[in-house]
Amino acid sequence: WSGSYLLSWLMATGLARLAEEVGPDAVIFPNLYGQPLFDLRFRNSLWSKLNATDQIHRNVWTDFEEHEYCEPSALQTPNLPNVFLALVTASRGTDLANKVNAAIRDEWEKEIAGKVLTFCTPLFTLDDSAVASDAAARFSDQVKRHLDVAWQLTTFPDTPQALLELADKHLPKQ
């Protein structure tokens, strides 16, 4: 569960970064609608800033909390795969991939592993400070080498007609 949740959390982080740049509807797979971890990543940066126009004038996250997918058990479920597919303009593909990669790595190295290191540092403080310093350095090295993030860009036809021609050429005939 822990490994799956960690991957789901990191994917939510990367998808949120992509969505900040080009919108969540650019993501083809997985469907981001109703994904609790994705919505949680946007809670402070986006949803809390939007207001619904009803009698109570609540923010959008309040409405989300009333749905069953935002119950604590849903937020504890690793619900995102370790891959995603997004349609973005070719000219921005590399830049967007680098931003997603950086967001995932920052979350992993600074937020998650950083908190683990802070928690574990007292365990490193043995009588010999050189041993403690070496343990922290080895920890940081392992954290930096742990993730293997890969991405691929594939060009997509610019026009519907070009898309139809490509489909006709490569998809099996019925």
Side-chain angles (χ1 to χ4, degrees):
W1 175 87
S2 298
S4 294
Y5 191 85
L6 180 60
L7 284 174
S8 286
W9 184 262
L10 293 173
M11 286 302 293
T13 300
L15 289 166
R17 182 66 181 107
L18 180 68
E20 288 170 355
E21 291 287 325
V22 294
D25 53 342
V27 177
I28 306 303
F29 174 82
N31 182 358
L32 296 180
Y33 180 77
Q35 293 287 354
L37 292 178
F38 178 77
D39 286 337
L40 182 63
R41 293 297 299 163
F42 267 128
R43 181 178 184 171
N44 293 326
S45 65
L46 179 63
W47 302 137
S48 64
K49 297 174 185 173
L50 299 175
N51 290 315
T53 56
D54 59 9
Q55 303 94 336
I56 307 171
H57 198 67
R58 307 178 306 186
N59 72 39
V60 173
W61 183 257
T62 304
D63 291 336
F64 281 146
E65 287 175 335
E66 292 175 1
H67 295 289
E68 66 182 51
Y69 77 83
C70 278
E71 292 177 7
S73 63
L75 292 173
Q76 296 170 352
T77 302
N79 55 12
L80 291 170
N82 64 348
V83 296
F84 70 88
L85 172 66
L87 279 177
V88 299
T89 57
S91 62
R92 293 201 60 203
T94 300
D95 178 54
L96 291 169
N98 286 328
K99 287 179 179 183
V100 168
N101 182 32
I104 290 171
R105 290 194 178 282
D106 283 350
E107 183 72 10
W108 168 244
E109 293 175 15
K110 296 175 183 172
E111 295 299 319
I112 297 169
K115 286 180 173 65
V116 170
L117 182 60
T118 299
F119 178 81
C120 291
T121 297
L123 303 174
F124 299 152
T125 56
L126 306 170
D127 292 335
D128 186 351
S129 64
V131 172
S133 176
D134 183 52
R138 282 185 290 127
F139 178 87
S140 295
D141 287 343
Q142 288 177 2
V143 165
K144 288 180 182 170
R145 289 191 313 267
H146 183 72
L147 286 180
D148 184 17
V149 177
W151 50 270
Q152 180 176 336
L153 298 176
T154 302
T155 57
F156 196 77
D158 293 335
T159 65
Q161 182 59 37
L163 179 60
L164 289 172
E165 289 170 9
L166 184 66
D168 189 48
K169 180 178 176 183
H170 294 286
L171 292 178
K173 308 292 187 247
Q174 292 183 350

